[in-house]
Amino acid sequence: MTLIETYHLEVREGEMRVQAFMMSDTVARHTLDRLEQTAVPGLVQSSIDRNSLDWDVRILVINDQALVLRDSNHGVMDSLAGQTLIRPEVISAINRQYASVFRRDEYALNVAVSINDEINDRVGAVVLIADVSDISYTVANIRNTLLLYSLAVGLVVVVLVFFISHRLIAALRTIMKVIQRMAVGQLNVRIPVTSKDEYAILSRAFNNMAEKLEQQEKTRDEFVSNVSHEMKTPLSAIKVLSESILTLDSVPEDVYREFFQDITNEVDRMTNINNDLLALVKVDQREQSIHLTTINLNGLVEDILKRLSPLAEKKKVVLLYEEVRRIEIDADDVKLALAISNIVENGIKYTPRGGTVKVVVDSDGQFAHITIQDTGIGIPEDEQDKIFNRFYRVDKTRDRDTGGTGLGLAIARSTVHMHNGSIKLTSTPEEGSVFVLRIPIRK
């Protein structure tokens, strides 16, 4: 029995129970003895308002011997009047207990209540029998309706699943095609983003990664080109000087010395480039561990400034040092000294005669702050994001004159990052630049 059928049967039973108790009261007023002795005209028919019911009901009045005294089907062939009706619901009602039975074979609902004839001290029963085939019809209609709705919903679900899966598969295929093209070196391809769902988020993240890879590839190509260019310049100079020596006859000794001095200078330049490249490769190796020791940062900076003071004196640049706090930090002293030295040396090289380069050491308790400020040529705002790139020069000609390789700031940034620190630049053209290195005090 389904829940729907059970619900409708319970509602019908409640209605029948009310009518049965009304009938019981009516019969009790006429007494069972009177019903047995004579007919009470219209008793059974008038005791129930049939017009108020949406279903047909048969009424039986039974005495305490289970004898049917009245049957609303009087005169019909299947009338039970005058017969003994032994049924569980009848026995329960005679024993003053309410009973209801659903007979599925007849598709009928029987409700039995007691008749309390107090005048004659007797107990009878009123039994209402209702045909509930209409409930079966209603349940069948509901079942068919639900089936149709289920089929419709199922069809909609299938269509939606097909549409969504097709869309998801199409998005995955697009991503796979882009990945395959990138795998063969086409780093300029991107995934089109036309929605705002999770695939759009994934696509944007992938496109961002592709842009960084493309930029990295461009940086690598530019790096190789710059290395070739930097090596080509001294090699060309050496070749020209060597050929000149070979083609000249009866040249004074001092000319030979000058030529050989120029060759030596170019070899030194190539050596500097090679050393800087090796240093950069070492700090770029992710798997390379740094050798941390507790060092006196103030002493480290003081040693660097002493080593660079001859260069500052040669350029007539004032080298200043300010110690706000004495600080000990966990760092790789060799690598950190190289980073600080490169920035200070750059400041000296690009500061005009009579200018100053000032180094300040301070701390906020968690991080050490090394501020390197110069009064040099400064860096245009649109160039400031590029100066940490390898071989990048704001003024290539001036940089070669100073003997730099264009790798010092790249080495400094990589070294600071190895220490989980950061480096920040602020600069104004013709006024100077300020580099701030922020290094954790404890690793």
Side-chain angles (χ1 to χ4, degrees):
M1 185 180 298
T2 64
L3 291 175
I4 298 175
E5 186 178 31
T6 301
Y7 168 76
H8 283 278
L9 287 174
E10 289 177 352
V11 172
R12 182 67 55 83
E13 179 191 347
E15 296 174 348
M16 292 174 64
R17 184 175 183 176
V18 172
Q19 298 294 339
F21 278 112
M22 292 172 60
M23 182 67 187
S24 172
D25 290 342
T26 301
V27 173
R29 288 197 301 269
H30 290 83
T31 72
L32 290 173
D33 289 348
R34 186 179 176 192
L35 286 176
E36 291 172 346
Q37 297 171 6
T38 180
V40 178
L43 173 65
V44 175
Q45 288 77 9
S46 62
S47 59
I48 294 180
D49 183 6
R50 296 175 181 272
N51 293 328
S52 65
L53 303 179
D54 295 327
W55 33 270
D56 293 330
V57 62
R58 181 178 182 180
I59 307 169
L60 303 177
V61 179
I62 303 172
N63 65 9
D64 51 359
Q65 301 299 317
L67 178 67
V68 178
L69 304 179
R70 296 288 185 273
D71 185 350
S72 61
N73 281 1
H74 179 71
V76 182
M77 292 183 62
D78 63 347
S79 175
L80 297 175
Q83 299 182 28
T84 300
L85 187 63
I86 306 298
R87 287 185 175 180
E89 62 270 24
V90 174
I91 303 303
S92 296
I94 294 175
N95 290 325
R96 303 179 186 276
Q97 295 177 358
Y98 168 79
S100 66
V101 176
F102 171 60
R103 303 186 186 280
R104 184 170 290 279
D105 55 342
E106 303 173 1
Y107 218 81
L109 181 62
N110 295 4
V111 171
V113 298
S114 301
I115 300 174
N116 296 316
D117 184 358
E118 297 178 353
I119 296 177
N120 300 296
D121 193 22
R122 299 179 63 185
V123 178
V126 171
V127 179
L128 269 61
I129 304 173
D131 182 5
V132 291
S133 57
D134 60 316
I135 293 179
S136 176
Y137 178 76
T138 301
V139 171
N141 284 340
I142 293 174
R143 186 182 294 112
N144 293 335
T145 302
L146 290 176
L147 180 60
L148 290 175
Y149 276 118
S150 300
L151 291 174
V153 171
L155 180 61
V156 171
V157 170
V158 169
V159 172
L160 287 175
V161 169
F162 176 79
F163 173 76
I164 294 174
S165 61
H166 181 269
R167 186 164 176 265
L168 296 180
I169 292 173
L172 286 175
R173 285 177 178 171
T174 301
I175 294 175
M176 288 302 301
K177 288 180 180 178
V178 173
I179 292 175
Q180 290 170 357
R181 292 178 63 184
M182 289 189 65
V184 296
Q186 299 180 25
L187 300 180
N188 61 330
V189 294
R190 298 291 183 271
I191 301 173
V193 180
T194 57
S195 62
K196 297 182 180 180
D197 55 10
E198 286 76 8
Y199 278 94
I201 297 174
L202 175 63
S203 299
R204 291 191 186 95
F206 186 88
N207 289 341
N208 184 42
M209 180 192 69
E211 289 176 3
K212 291 183 178 179
L213 287 176
E214 185 179 14
Q215 183 61 41
Q216 186 176 7
E217 186 66 21
K218 289 180 180 178
T219 302
R220 184 181 293 110
D221 293 341
E222 184 179 354
F223 175 72
V224 173
S225 176
N226 287 333
V227 170
S228 300
H229 179 73
E230 293 296 327
M231 290 296 187
K232 181 179 179 181
T233 301
L235 285 173
S236 299
I238 292 172
K239 180 177 176 60
V240 171
L241 292 170
S242 300
E243 290 176 348
S244 299
I245 293 173
L246 292 174
T247 57
L248 293 176
D249 295 328
S250 301
V251 180
E253 182 179 348
D254 57 346
V255 175
Y256 279 111
R257 288 182 179 278
E258 182 181 352
F259 277 25
F260 279 120
Q261 183 61 50
D262 290 340
I263 291 174
T264 300
N265 292 338
E266 295 300 333
V267 171
D268 289 340
R269 177 174 175 77
M270 292 180 63
T271 301
N272 290 335
I273 293 174
N274 184 65
N275 290 338
D276 282 349
L277 285 173
L278 290 175
L280 188 61
V281 168
K282 288 180 179 179
V283 297
D284 274 351
Q285 289 177 348
R286 302 299 182 189
E287 67 277 6
Q288 183 188 12
S289 60
I290 58 177
H291 304 287
L292 296 177
T293 57
T294 301
I295 64 172
N296 185 311
L297 181 61
N298 308 81
L300 178 70
V301 173
E302 289 174 355
D303 290 342
I304 293 171
L305 297 183
K306 287 179 183 178
R307 189 169 62 249
L308 293 176
S309 59
L311 177 62
E313 292 173 0
K314 183 179 179 180
K315 285 207 64 181
K316 305 300 181 183
V317 172
V318 179
L319 201 55
L320 302 176
Y321 171 64
E322 181 180 347
E323 180 183 287
V324 180
R325 288 182 177 84
R326 300 292 295 181
I327 306 169
E328 289 190 347
I329 67 171
D330 294 339
D332 188 318
D333 57 344
V334 176
K335 292 184 175 63
L336 185 57
L338 178 62
I340 299 173
S341 178
N342 282 341
I343 298 176
V344 175
E345 186 175 355
N346 266 7
I348 296 172
K349 288 178 179 179
Y350 296 114
T351 297
R353 294 170 65 89
T356 60
V357 175
K358 183 178 181 180
V359 181
V360 180
V361 176
D362 196 0
S363 169
D364 61 8
Q366 293 184 337
F367 293 88
H369 299 274
I370 308 160
T371 304
I372 304 167
Q373 181 177 2
D374 64 61
T375 58
I377 61 175
I379 302 168
E381 185 176 355
D382 57 345
E383 304 280 349
Q384 293 178 14
D385 291 336
K386 305 174 184 176
I387 65 166
F388 293 102
N389 294 343
R390 301 161 188 183
F391 290 112
Y392 185 80
R393 292 188 177 94
V394 177
D395 186 336
K396 297 187 185 327
T397 302
R398 189 181 315 184
D399 201 33
R400 288 199 184 94
D401 291 341
T402 60
T405 62
L407 296 173
L409 291 181
I411 294 172
R413 182 179 64 175
S414 297
T415 300
V416 170
H417 288 174
M418 287 180 66
H419 286 79
N420 294 325
S422 63
I423 183 168
K424 181 181 179 182
L425 164 67
T426 56
S427 182
T428 304
E430 307 306 328
E431 293 185 10
S433 304
V434 179
F435 290 84
V436 179
L437 281 63
R438 185 170 177 264
I439 310 293
I441 294 178
R442 294 288 175 259
K443 181 65 174 177

